[in-house]
Amino acid sequence: MMTRRAFIELKGIFITNSLTTTPLSSPQLGLQSTLLASLLHSTSFSNNGDRLLHSTSFSNIGDRPLSRYQKVTSLDHAFNLFDEMIQRRPLPSVVKFNQLLNSVAKMKHFSSSLHLFKQMCLIGVPVNEYSISIAIKCCCQMSRTNDGFALLASCFRRAVVPNVFVFSTLLDGLVLEDRIIEAERLFKKLIKQKLCEPDVVMYSTMIKGLCKFGNNDIAIGLLRLMDERGCEPNVVVYSTIIDSLCKDKLIDDAFNLFKEMVFHKGILPDVITYTSLIHGLCNLGRWGEVYKLLKEMEDVRISPDLQTFNMLVDAFCKDGKVNEAEAVIDIMVERGEAPDIVTYSSLIDGYCLRGEMIKARTLFDSLTFKGLVPNVVTYSSLLNGYCKSLKIEEAMHLFHEITRKGLKPDIVSYSAMLQGLFRVGRCGAARKLFDEMRSQGLIPNECTYRIILAGLCNNHQVEDVLYLFHLVGDSKLNTDIQVYNILIDGMSKCGKLDIARDLFQDLTLKGLKPNVRTYTVMVSGLCREGMLEEAKHLFHRMDESGCPPNSVTYNVLLQGYLKNQNSDDVEMLLEEMDGRRYSVDASTLSMLIEKIAAGSVDRSMLKLIGKLVPKEMMDTTAVPR
DNA sequence: ATAGGGTTAG
């Protein structure tokens, strides 16, 4: 392994500085270096060390060695062993069969495991609640929870009394299939009819289900209830809710629950708890606190694991901070945590996001060399990148490669490809691809639907858009403000402002609330048709509706005024933008300059305009001073 | 002497 010194030298002066000066409080050092420093300092308890410690001394104390039924390494191996077992007389104990069943399930060969279970029943092995819960788990993992319930029935036939393990597995199956109502019903029935007393795992499963459907408050209610009923919540229960709060951007609530767990309950957080919290902070762009929490992990001797690192790489990439993402990967390598396909897929996506397609491609091509196999996610990241940079032939080629490599393009790959085809105006090809997708049994999701609507709009296929929209009717797909935003924008760009207006009226009837984008596209549509008064009126309605205009709305209205020579309004709007600390975008700025040159906007506004130009733009644009 | 729950990528 590379020594730390060599690593630092390799990384160059930048990191050496951050380690030799005082990195943590020094403001001129960027986040990258502080994060790096934080993680580099923690090598004393690196994952390597941890692994060594656990495997050699502590964790094996009291552990029994695995039996050979738990050590199967392949499906073939498992089936051979099973065949040998059923020929022995007397038959091996059910315990040994269960161990085999479980190892096959752990390899995610659920249908094989289930097959073996059925063989056991046929042969007359006296299956018990262990066997049945493994079999039910296999059904549930394959989204066949109903088959799991059928097995429950066979439980009774075999005089096996289903226990809390069996019911928890079924409950989890319902949650996995989004059957939350049935999950709640089952959970209540189990308690009411005293079929089993829920334990901490069953509570956590129910809590996970509630969180999944956005019922954080009810989930917390259940947390309180389990406590009252004498079932102590543990780190899993707390982490489930903390993660859900983080995903809903309720980071303060998440931290409050975290503090309650630690300080009131004395429950220690683990790497998953921290990963969830850090993820939440990353999503809010609160990098300073991300660093603090990483430091805290270090202090409490909890090492970030592969998933923590992958989450960080991904979060940096999503925020355009590719350098930081690369630095995290270097640290992973240095700490013996091998980056996997998830790590690199995120990085490829990060490159694509910045239009760095050469880098993305080079990395993609180097994966095989690293011993990693690209999967559908990897492919669709790169494919999406090509589509976004209008390299449609490259994208198409990659799309076909997915199948050639023995993978199946899924709904996301198809959606990305569709978006690309629409973007270059190849509606016919998009149509063909859509039909192919359907023939593969893939069902369009909300995202696919929005891509198609937007694609048709941008290609002025007004009739097709409206046909599709009405065809979908009042379903869930159309109960989405984003769909309306696309349609309102699309219709007004196609010169159908009347339709756009009607849509804007109708969305409220469906119980939808217009958001900033809805107002902005409507204002933009009105400006396009020169209906400045109505645009202005709508613009003012935004504040009253508790949906204040953002920078984009201001720019849109400003361009409307400029096009229609409303000089006084222009000045007033610029003043307001200054007051709200908004800035002008590149296209508005060039329009302003153009109008000043033409004499339709007074030069006296130059000073104000200068204040509204963001710093980044100063370097690249000729700004009047 | 065997079974169930929480974190990462398009």
Side-chain angles (χ1 to χ4, degrees):
Chain A
M1 201 178 85
M2 202 189 289
T3 66
R4 180 159 155 204
R5 189 67 239 169
F7 173 76
I8 292 166
E9 275 162 10
L10 208 74
K11 293 291 293 180
I13 195 80
F14 182 52
I15 296 165
T16 312
N17 277 345
S18 75
L19 284 171
T20 50
T21 60
T22 43
L24 307 188
S25 53
S26 179
Q28 67 270 31
L29 289 171
L31 171 71
Q32 180 182 355
S33 54
T34 52
L35 177 69
L36 278 167
S38 137
L39 293 172
L40 280 171
H41 279 310
S42 61
T43 45
S44 53
F45 60 100
S46 77
N47 290 344
N48 273 341
D50 264 14
R51 263 202 292 271
L52 218 62
L53 206 63
H54 284 299
S55 60
T56 53
S57 48
F58 298 115
S59 81
N60 267 5
I61 292 174
D63 280 1
R64 272 165 224 288
L66 292 179
S67 80
R68 71 191 193 105
Y69 309 97
Q70 293 164 311
K71 276 192 294 202
V72 289
T73 48
S74 72
L75 212 45
D76 267 352
H77 184 183
F79 279 114
N80 288 336
L81 190 53
F82 188 83
D83 285 342
E84 184 219 301
M85 286 164 78
I86 59 174
Q87 275 160 33
R88 262 186 265 162
R89 288 299 176 274
L91 279 172
S93 81
V94 64
V95 173
K96 297 195 169 63
F97 279 103
N98 290 345
Q99 288 176 332
L100 182 61
L101 228 55
N102 196 33
S103 7
V104 175
K106 287 268 148 70
M107 293 190 292
K108 304 211 174 193
H109 293 297
F110 302 118
S111 62
S112 300
S113 180
L114 204 52
H115 173 77
L116 294 179
F117 171 78
K118 286 179 182 156
Q119 293 295 307
M120 283 166 67
C121 295
L122 284 172
I123 295 154
V125 179
V127 295
N128 59 15
E129 57 271 43
Y130 290 77
S131 345
I132 286 177
S133 71
I134 297 167
I136 291 180
K137 165 132 201 222
C138 290
C139 294
C140 293
Q141 291 292 318
M142 294 187 291
S143 294
R144 283 166 40 190
T145 302
N146 286 350
D147 294 351
F149 278 99
L151 281 175
L152 180 68
S154 84
C155 223
F156 295 109
R157 275 205 304 280
R158 290 169 195 283
V160 175
V161 181
N163 60 13
V164 67
F165 283 79
V166 171
F167 286 123
S168 295
T169 311
L170 284 165
L171 189 69
D172 196 44
L174 291 174
V175 171
L176 279 174
E177 286 185 40
D178 291 344
R179 293 160 66 176
I180 188 69
I181 308 279
E182 290 160 273
E184 279 186 87
R185 206 179 293 151
L186 174 64
F187 183 71
K188 285 179 184 158
K189 180 174 158 179
L190 292 174
I191 296 176
K192 261 197 200 132
Q193 303 187 4
K194 298 198 189 318
L195 291 167
C196 76
E197 181 58 32
D199 64 2
V200 65
V201 175
M202 185 175 267
Y203 276 112
S204 78
T205 306
M206 193 63 241
I207 284 173
K208 175 180 72 174
L210 291 166
C211 289
K212 193 172 175 188
F213 280 79
N215 295 320
N216 289 329
D217 294 340
I218 303 179
I220 293 169
L222 191 54
L223 169 76
R224 307 287 173 234
L225 186 75
M226 66 185 283
D227 218 351
E228 281 169 30
R229 289 176 60 106
C231 180
E232 286 276 329
N234 60 14
V235 65
V236 175
V237 178
Y238 273 101
S239 298
T240 305
I241 306 178
I242 287 172
D243 183 64
S244 175
L245 291 168
C246 286
K247 293 220 159 84
D248 293 342
K249 304 201 186 293
L250 300 168
I251 200 85
D252 295 337
D253 295 333
F255 272 106
N256 285 335
L257 206 59
F258 177 78
K259 283 178 207 148
E260 172 191 311
M261 173 179 94
V262 179
F263 298 116
H264 293 189
K265 291 287 178 180
I267 300 167
L268 290 178
D270 61 14
V271 63
I272 298 182
T273 324
Y274 275 107
T275 302
S276 289
L277 283 167
I278 295 172
H279 194 185
L281 290 170
C282 288
N283 285 340
L284 293 169
R286 287 159 65 164
W287 298 108
E289 289 155 275
V290 169
Y291 154 72
K292 268 192 209 159
L293 219 55
L294 283 169
K295 184 78 175 61
E296 185 178 308
M297 282 179 80
E298 186 181 326
D299 294 341
V300 298
R301 296 286 186 270
I302 293 172
S303 301
D305 63 7
L306 179 63
Q307 295 192 199
T308 318
F309 284 123
N310 281 350
M311 178 276 292
L312 284 171
V313 168
D314 188 61
F316 278 130
C317 285
K318 285 206 168 83
D319 205 29
K321 301 182 189 313
V322 171
N323 292 339
E324 280 87 343
E326 288 169 338
V328 172
I329 294 178
D330 288 339
I331 290 158
M332 293 172 72
V333 174
E334 198 262 349
R335 296 188 51 177
E337 192 71 76
D340 65 1
I341 192 65
V342 176
T343 325
Y344 289 117
S345 297
S346 288
L347 188 57
I348 289 174
D349 206 53
Y351 289 143
C352 289
L353 203 74
R354 290 159 51 120
E356 300 180 343
M357 292 312 296
I358 310 266
K359 275 191 175 181
R361 182 75 211 200
T362 308
L363 178 56
F364 181 85
D365 290 338
S366 75
L367 289 176
T368 331
F369 181 68
K370 296 184 205 291
L372 297 171
V373 184
N375 58 29
V376 181
V377 179
T378 326
Y379 270 99
S380 53
S381 278
L382 189 60
L383 185 151
N384 188 44
Y386 281 129
C387 286
K388 294 272 150 75
S389 31
L390 305 180
K391 297 205 160 71
I392 207 72
E393 292 311 321
E394 300 272 20
M396 208 54 171
H397 187 260
L398 211 59
F399 185 79
H400 291 130
E401 193 175 305
I402 299 178
T403 322
R404 277 207 306 279
K405 296 280 175 181
L407 300 165
K408 268 180 117 53
D410 61 8
I411 190 69
V412 184
S413 337
Y414 271 103
S415 301
M417 199 61 239
L418 281 172
Q419 191 170 32
L421 288 170
F422 275 122
R423 202 164 278 208
V424 296
R426 288 170 57 179
C427 297
R431 175 78 206 206
K432 244 177 87 182
L433 195 72
F434 181 78
D435 291 339
E436 180 193 308
M437 181 187 100
R438 295 306 317 274
S439 74
Q440 295 294 313
L442 291 170
I443 312 292
N445 60 22
E446 320 82 49
C447 196
T448 325
Y449 180 58
R450 290 196 293 262
I451 285 169
I452 294 171
L453 286 179
L456 291 171
C457 284
N458 292 332
N459 288 284
H460 296 269
Q461 312 279 316
V462 176
E463 280 181 26
D464 286 352
V465 181
L466 295 176
Y467 176 76
L468 181 60
F469 178 66
H470 290 122
L471 191 71
V472 167
D474 273 346
S475 85
K476 211 179 132 193
L477 283 181
N478 277 343
T479 316
D480 182 343
I481 193 65
Q482 294 183 61
V483 163
Y484 277 86
N485 294 350
I486 290 166
L487 284 174
I488 292 169
D489 192 40
M491 285 302 112
S492 47
K493 277 180 182 155
C494 290
K496 305 283 180 193
L497 188 66
D498 44 337
I499 299 179
R501 264 211 210 89
D502 290 345
L503 286 163
F504 189 75
Q505 296 293 323
D506 289 351
L507 64 90
T508 337
L509 302 176
K510 287 210 190 171
L512 292 169
K513 251 178 79 107
N515 61 23
V516 192
R517 290 180 110 100
T518 324
Y519 282 108
T520 305
V521 292
M522 200 61 230
V523 168
S524 160
L526 291 165
C527 288
R528 193 178 288 113
E529 298 293 321
M531 309 179 77
L532 271 299
E533 280 311 309
E534 199 179 332
K536 201 193 288 187
H537 182 246
L538 190 61
F539 183 82
H540 289 305
R541 238 175 69 193
M542 293 179 72
D543 271 317
E544 300 157 22
S545 316
C547 184
N550 63 16
S551 188
V552 182
T553 327
Y554 270 97
N555 276 279
V556 162
L557 188 62
L558 191 55
Q559 293 204 17
Y561 286 161
L562 286 169
K563 277 183 199 144
N564 292 277
Q565 322 284 349
N566 285 21
S567 230
D568 294 345
D569 286 334
V570 167
E571 181 158 16
M572 212 167 70
L573 214 55
L574 287 171
E575 297 277 7
E576 271 183 55
M577 287 177 79
D578 187 38
R580 297 205 189 199
R581 300 194 178 281
Y582 289 156
S583 43
V584 292
D585 62 30
S587 76
T588 310
L589 181 61
S590 67
M591 195 183 281
L592 275 164
I593 294 171
E594 190 187 304
K595 295 287 173 187
I596 288 170
S600 54
V601 168
D602 199 281
R603 290 192 72 87
S604 64
M605 267 186 247
L606 277 174
K607 199 174 164 210
L608 180 55
I609 295 167
K611 279 164 75 180
L612 294 168
V613 179
K615 277 196 225 78
E616 313 88 75
M617 228 189 274
M618 288 291 203
D619 312 325
T620 49
T621 322
V623 183
R625 307 233 173 212

